[in-house]
Amino acid sequence: MGESTMKRKLKHRHLQFISLGGVIGSGYFLGTGYVLEQAGPAAMIAYLLGGLIVLAVMLCLAELAVEKPLSGSFVVYARENISATWACGVGWSYWVTWVSYVPSEMIAAGIIMNGFFPEIGTVWWAVFFGGIVTILNLFRVDKFGESEFWLSLIKVTALVAFSAVALLICLGLIGGEGYIGSRILLGSGGFAPNGYASIALTMVIILVNFQGTEIIGLAAGETADPARSIPTAVRNVTWRIIALYIIPITLLISILPWDHASLTESVFAAALAEHGFTELAALFSFVVLTAAISCSNSGLYGAARTVHALATMGMAPHMLEGLSSKGVPSRAIYASIVFCWGVIAVYAMNPHGQLYTYLLALSGFSGAMAWISICWSQYRRRRRLEAENAVSLLRYRMPLFPYVTLFGIWAQVLCLAFMIFTPELRSALYLGVPMLVVPMILYRFLRCE
């Protein structure tokens, strides 16, 4: 059962919203408070810089994916343009990222439901939502795409609605404070109350928040018209992500003092409640629940396609290579969700332990390695085509090569280097480096195939 039996059923709108689903998870609504605590209003600069890195990575991915649209694409591109050993390491590292992160979204959904129904434990809700996303992923890929489209649409609509309400509050048209303008935005220590160096700290965290956009590449092998859909999806998703982060967060800190932000509740809900809109604030619990399910849905999709690609290349057990009659990698999905449930079980036995925190911290390192791998693959592929005078054969060419590619690589290298000197981020390296290197060593010396 090979790559050719996968069904190209994903529509143009599915492709865009699957990627958005992986980016805008519960962490966006619940974790933005941490970013604001670190940088204050200057977080806007960090989000903008993060968006530029996303744009660079996605343009590289578009060039590769249009030329060769494959499921599990960036792992295949790494094998062909860098080395099989590197592909094995970055592929397994990326898989571990998602199967560690997806449970955090399930648990976030469980916490929300436990607030409504306290007689049912958080863990049982997490397992329930794990079952839902498993079923959604086992459907035909077009049915999965349709479910993700509607789940993501709810999140996007909520952010647009929040932005509209926050703008009206800021202008004094609703609420009881009159015209606010920049009074709250600059009123608690100025634009960078903790100094501009805090932007560098939040950059690493923001790149974690942006991870998921690369799922466009993983879905390339199941896209109906990749030559048309992928470049358009890359451009649209990148600008929408920038808009859905920068505009709502700018308006957020214009109506909520940054030092009122906390990690105990959604800062969006807190901002609305502070101005008397308690009913709207309550609705955000439903939005966060939807975000958690949607991100889990996209994350499991990405994890399964990655480990399936590894299996087809002899870098994972061959039993994970099989496809169902519906053309989905069902065995890879089952293997991924079992690992997710294992992480939930660890959390259930020791919810205050450090293991879960370390697993979650992996996403910062391994996600950046996957993005660097995409840029590196595109750089080497384009140089090879230039040497062969074959660049004209590309159906889509990334603009401003090689400057955009090199920016994408070195900006992320600097972020990873900054992690070394930041104690609260260094833990990601303790697990991230071994999870990259150990699969490479095993593949190099044992040769899974």
Side-chain angles (χ1 to χ4, degrees):
M1 298 184 193
E3 177 76 37
S4 61
T5 59
M6 278 194 170
K7 313 297 184 185
R8 292 190 178 273
K9 296 285 188 178
L10 288 178
K11 299 177 182 177
H12 183 62
R13 60 187 175 90
H14 294 159
L15 192 62
Q16 297 188 53
F17 278 85
I18 287 172
S19 184
L20 284 175
V23 173
I24 306 175
S26 65
Y28 174 76
F29 295 98
L30 297 174
T32 305
Y34 176 81
V35 177
L36 296 181
E37 281 181 335
Q38 295 294 323
M44 291 186 295
I45 297 177
Y47 277 110
L48 180 59
L49 291 173
L52 293 176
I53 293 174
V54 170
L55 178 60
V57 174
M58 291 302 100
L59 289 173
C60 291
L61 181 58
E63 181 172 300
L64 292 167
V66 170
E67 182 188 16
K68 185 174 287 189
L70 299 170
S71 180
S73 59
F74 76 82
V75 180
V76 180
Y77 304 148
R79 183 192 65 177
E80 294 182 349
N81 298 293
I82 303 173
S83 75
T85 302
W86 173 262
C88 183
V90 76
W92 276 110
S93 177
Y94 182 79
W95 180 80
V96 170
T97 292
W98 276 117
V99 296
S100 301
Y101 186 73
V102 165
S104 76
E105 295 290 336
M106 296 177 186
I107 291 167
I111 291 170
I112 294 167
M113 292 303 295
N114 180 250
F116 291 119
F117 304 99
E119 64 275 9
I120 302 177
T122 297
V123 172
W124 291 112
W125 282 116
V127 172
F128 171 72
F129 289 121
I132 289 178
V133 299
T134 303
I135 292 170
L136 290 174
N137 270 267
L138 290 172
F139 283 147
R140 280 197 338 242
V141 71
D142 57 329
K143 302 300 182 185
F144 162 80
E146 196 67 25
S147 69
E148 191 55 38
F149 171 80
W150 290 107
L151 288 170
S152 296
L153 188 60
I154 292 172
K155 296 184 291 186
V156 172
T157 302
L159 288 173
V160 172
F162 171 84
S163 299
V165 172
L167 179 60
L168 293 175
I169 293 173
C170 195
L171 294 175
L173 299 178
I174 58 176
E177 292 197 27
Y179 180 76
I180 295 174
S182 61
R183 172 164 49 89
I184 293 178
L185 178 68
L186 303 176
S188 299
F191 185 73
N194 297 325
Y196 285 94
S198 62
I199 294 174
L201 172 64
T202 57
M203 275 301 303
V204 180
I205 302 158
I206 285 169
L207 288 180
V208 174
N209 289 343
F210 280 142
Q211 285 168 22
T213 50
E214 73 286 340
I215 292 176
I216 287 178
L218 295 173
E222 297 168 276
T223 303
D225 185 8
R228 181 185 71 88
S229 296
I230 291 174
T232 305
V234 163
R235 288 192 297 269
N236 290 346
V237 167
T238 301
W239 294 118
R240 285 174 186 174
I241 286 171
I242 293 174
L244 289 173
Y245 270 87
I246 293 175
I247 294 175
I249 288 173
T250 300
L251 291 167
L252 168 68
I253 55 181
S254 295
I255 64 172
L256 178 73
W258 68 270
D259 50 358
H260 289 195
S262 71
L263 300 178
T264 58
E265 64 176 332
S266 167
V267 286
F268 295 93
L272 293 172
E274 185 151 316
H275 291 274
F277 296 94
T278 53
E279 295 82 4
L280 287 176
L283 281 176
F284 260 81
S285 292
F286 171 73
V287 175
V288 174
L289 175 64
T290 304
I293 297 172
S294 172
C295 192
S296 297
N297 204 27
S298 289
L300 182 57
Y301 177 92
R305 268 59 183 180
T306 299
V307 78
H308 174 262
L310 290 169
T312 59
M313 295 186 295
M315 299 174 184
H318 286 296
M319 61 177 293
L320 300 178
E321 187 178 347
L323 299 175
S324 72
S325 59
K326 297 177 181 177
V328 299
S330 53
R331 296 176 186 175
I333 292 171
Y334 287 131
S336 299
I337 199 65
V338 165
F339 194 94
C340 290
W341 282 336
V343 175
I344 292 173
V346 171
Y347 175 82
M349 291 184 289
N350 188 14
H352 303 293
Q354 291 298 310
L355 176 62
Y356 179 73
T357 304
Y358 284 142
L359 284 172
L360 192 58
L362 276 172
S363 60
F365 176 82
S366 54
M369 297 311 298
W371 281 14
I372 290 171
S373 180
I374 290 169
C375 295
W376 190 7
S377 297
Q378 187 270 340
Y379 181 84
R380 298 194 65 171
R381 177 60 180 164
R382 177 72 81 90
R383 288 302 193 202
R384 186 177 302 145
L385 290 174
E386 286 177 344
E388 298 169 355
N389 292 318
V391 175
S392 60
L393 298 178
L394 290 173
R395 288 179 290 174
Y396 174 80
R397 275 178 276 180
M398 186 193 73
L400 300 176
F401 177 84
Y403 307 109
V404 172
T405 305
L406 294 175
F407 168 76
I409 293 173
W410 290 109
Q412 293 180 88
V413 169
L414 288 175
C415 288
L416 293 178
F418 186 77
M419 293 174 68
I420 299 173
F421 302 102
T422 309
E424 57 264 43
L425 300 176
R426 201 178 298 146
S427 62
L429 300 178
Y430 296 151
L431 282 179
V433 173
M435 285 309 305
L436 175 70
V437 173
V438 169
M440 294 169 67
I441 294 173
L442 291 176
Y443 178 78
R444 185 76 174 176
F445 292 101
L446 299 181
R447 294 291 181 179
C448 297
E449 73 266 22

